[in-house]
Each structure stands twice: as C-alpha cells, then as structure tokens.
Amino acid sequence: MADSVWQTENAISAMQLVSSGIGWTALPVEMVRDVIESGVLTRLALDFESQPWQQGVDIAWSTQHPLGPAAKVLLQLLRTIKL
C-alpha cells in the first residue's frame, strides 16, 4: 500500500497522529465525524470503502471465577448481535 507504514495500538492514537498531520488512517466515521466537521481532518473517498466499518471484539474471562449477573447479561446480549 505504501513505502512507509506505521502502526499504533488503537484507533484513538491513530486519530491523534493524523490530526497532527502524520499520514492517513481508516477509522470509523462515527469516531471522527466531529473532527471532520471541524475541518481538522478530511475524509478521503476510497474505492475499498464499500461496507460499513466493523470492529471485532474478543471476550475473555477466567474459568476460575464464575461470571456475575452483569457479565452473564452482557454475554447474552453480545451473542444476539448479527454481523
């Protein structure tokens, strides 16, 4: 894709870097809408951007401790999400 590639640990760091004028990134529009509207960032029209942003989520818990009521409800709700 590019001669120089940089990586960061999360989308917030990526947004801060591009807001400082360092490179470009692909971020969910919901995350950067206000920054684009303020004129700090510019949204590029990209050919590969044909579907809405999706971010994977991993769920991990210790088998040594049972899930509490809130964690059980959260897990049940997350299982209902259709991607």
Side-chain angles (χ1 to χ4, degrees):
M1 288 178 96
D3 293 335
S4 299
V5 177
W6 51 266
Q7 296 179 352
T8 184
E9 70 280 357
N10 61 54
I12 293 172
S13 295
M15 185 175 67
Q16 291 170 338
L17 287 168
V18 297
S19 295
S20 299
I22 300 173
W24 66 275
T25 187
L27 295 169
V29 70
E30 295 82 8
M31 180 180 180
V32 294
R33 181 175 282 119
D34 293 341
V35 184
I36 291 171
E37 289 174 359
S38 72
V40 173
L41 294 180
T42 301
R43 183 175 183 175
L44 303 175
L46 304 173
D47 291 339
F48 65 82
E49 192 178 38
S50 62
Q51 296 182 0
W53 179 273
Q54 292 186 358
Q55 177 66 45
V57 174
D58 293 320
I59 302 169
W61 63 88
S62 171
T63 57
Q64 296 176 352
H65 305 285
L67 295 177
K72 288 179 182 177
V73 170
L74 176 60
L75 186 58
Q76 181 181 6
L77 289 171
L78 290 172
R79 286 182 172 148
T80 66
I81 297 173
K82 303 290 184 218
L83 298 177

